[in-house]
Amino acid sequence: MLINFLLFVEIRTKLASVIPFLLGTCYALYRYESFSLMNTLIMFISLLTFDMATTAINNYFDYKKATKLNNGDAETSMAIVGGIAERHARYIIFSLLTVAVTAGMTLVYHTDIMVFLVGAVSFLVGVFYTFGPVPLSRMPLGEVFSGFFMGFVIFFLAVYVHIFDLGISTIMLEGSRLIVTVNIVEIINIFLLSVPAMAGIANIMLANNICDIDEDIINRRFTLPYYLGRDNSLSLFKALYYIAYADILLIVILGLAPKLISLCLLTLIPVQKNIRVFTDNPLKNSTFMLSVQNFFLMNFTHLIFLLLSIALF
């Protein structure tokens, strides 16, 4: 049953959200010298259960669509990922969402209203990313939504839950006026620190859509590669990686990240090789996984060198 559950929520894909969370947590410790174990654990529970829930929702509705298309044919009863029974799938989704929301509200209680506002928007985007009449993932902005919310917003919240009391942002109600103040410089700094994660996640989505472009056109799914064309999409795929590496150099020069992070530039060698192999032959069943490898190479290495910097300095 546990194996079925892990397959249903596609646990292997959760590194895409966990790595930005870990990076943000470590940068809160390195840059702001602030760390709350309680807030870290609560956010991790909320993040992981919500990520699993959105994946489960996607798999459940893919199953429902398949059942409808096959007129309820009994063979489609095994279409849910992991072979989970339909009623069990609904229970799992409800349970995961309940845990995610409960943990999220607990985190708000321990921090401030900014976490609630950012979390609420992220919750809505996460649900409608794969659910609804026209899921966001099937629109031209799928890469933007996935990169921004998983790469930056998760990273930002992972930092913010440790520094919410340092004046990065404040929201106050004075009479009939809602007053919002934001430290733009620090927000930009946090954004720059998150660029490698953003680029890597966006490219996983882009690679997936490039591989599926012919099938998507047949099924009237108009993703970004449909509008850009295959060649321009592959050029964007390459450019996002180069932007990420330029950003790594920039954050070291600006003093936002420790000098040790510059060693991440060495991963450009295997990443460049993977870029070349994928762009020469973008196929879902073989070269697509190179985009996942590239994300891991860039960002896990980033995390390791950041942890070493914290430990050594």
Side-chain angles (χ1 to χ4, degrees):
M1 183 62 183
L2 176 60
I3 294 176
N4 290 346
F5 167 76
L6 295 177
L7 289 172
F8 181 46
V9 299
E10 297 181 25
I11 196 68
R12 69 187 185 281
T13 67
K14 303 315 165 199
L15 279 177
S17 58
V18 171
I19 286 182
F21 164 76
L22 293 175
L23 280 168
T25 301
C26 290
Y27 268 112
L29 181 58
Y30 170 78
R31 180 166 171 76
Y32 302 98
E33 298 182 349
S34 181
F35 177 77
S36 168
L37 179 60
M38 180 176 63
N39 288 351
T40 298
L41 293 175
I42 295 172
M43 181 178 172
F44 179 75
I45 292 169
S46 181
L47 171 67
L48 185 60
T49 52
F50 181 66
D51 195 352
M52 290 191 294
T54 55
T55 301
I57 290 170
N58 182 53
N59 286 330
Y60 177 75
F61 280 99
D62 280 350
Y63 160 79
K64 293 296 287 183
K65 289 175 184 176
T67 302
K68 185 176 181 180
L69 289 173
N70 287 277
N71 297 315
D73 193 309
E75 291 183 5
T76 64
S77 64
M78 295 302 293
I80 293 186
V81 174
I84 298 288
E86 187 175 342
R87 62 187 180 88
H88 291 155
R90 291 195 297 267
Y91 173 77
I92 289 170
I93 291 169
F94 176 78
S95 299
L96 288 172
L97 287 176
T98 299
V99 173
V101 171
T102 301
M105 294 307 298
T106 303
L107 188 62
V108 171
Y109 175 78
H110 287 287
T111 53
D112 62 16
I113 193 65
M114 180 60 72
V115 173
F116 172 78
L117 295 176
V118 176
V121 173
S122 301
F123 185 92
L124 291 174
V125 170
V127 170
F128 288 106
Y129 186 76
T130 57
F131 173 68
V134 184
L136 296 173
S137 61
R138 299 188 179 190
M139 296 172 63
L141 295 178
E143 287 81 358
V144 176
F145 278 105
S146 62
F148 181 78
F149 278 91
M150 294 184 70
F152 171 66
V153 173
I154 291 175
F155 186 101
F156 169 77
L157 284 176
V159 174
Y160 188 80
V161 297
H162 302 283
I163 62 169
F164 64 92
D165 54 350
L166 298 184
I168 300 298
S169 69
T170 57
I171 301 177
M172 296 183 297
L173 185 63
E174 290 187 358
S176 59
R177 294 186 303 168
L178 181 66
I179 301 174
V180 180
T181 60
V182 177
N183 187 326
I184 297 297
V185 173
E186 283 305 316
I187 297 298
I188 292 174
N189 288 340
I190 293 172
F191 179 85
L192 289 174
L193 290 169
S194 71
V195 166
M198 289 175 60
I201 291 170
N203 260 350
I204 292 174
M205 179 70 172
L206 181 59
N208 181 69
N209 288 335
I210 290 171
C211 293
D212 290 343
I213 186 170
D214 294 329
E215 180 184 341
D216 285 346
I217 291 172
I218 294 172
N219 292 307
R220 301 184 63 79
R221 291 195 294 262
F222 304 117
T223 59
L224 186 60
Y226 170 82
Y227 292 96
L228 294 181
R230 191 188 300 271
D231 290 342
N232 288 334
S233 297
L234 289 171
S235 295
L236 176 61
F237 178 79
K238 291 185 283 188
L240 285 173
Y241 286 123
Y242 301 142
I243 289 171
Y245 281 103
D247 177 81
I248 289 172
L249 188 60
L250 179 63
I251 60 177
V252 172
I253 291 172
L254 293 177
L256 301 177
K259 291 181 175 62
L260 201 58
I261 297 301
S262 61
L263 292 177
C264 291
L265 295 174
L266 295 174
T267 63
L268 181 57
I269 298 170
V271 166
Q272 177 62 41
K273 179 183 177 182
N274 288 343
I275 291 172
R276 186 169 57 253
V277 173
F278 177 79
T279 53
D280 286 346
N281 194 24
L283 293 174
K284 188 67 168 288
N285 61 357
S286 57
T287 57
F288 162 72
M289 284 304 296
L290 295 176
S291 65
V292 180
Q293 288 181 24
N294 284 351
F295 169 78
F296 188 79
L297 276 168
M298 283 196 307
N299 291 285
F300 188 72
T301 304
H302 188 167
L303 178 62
I304 293 300
F305 284 132
L306 180 56
L307 286 169
L308 282 174
S309 298
I310 293 170
L312 295 176
F313 305 106

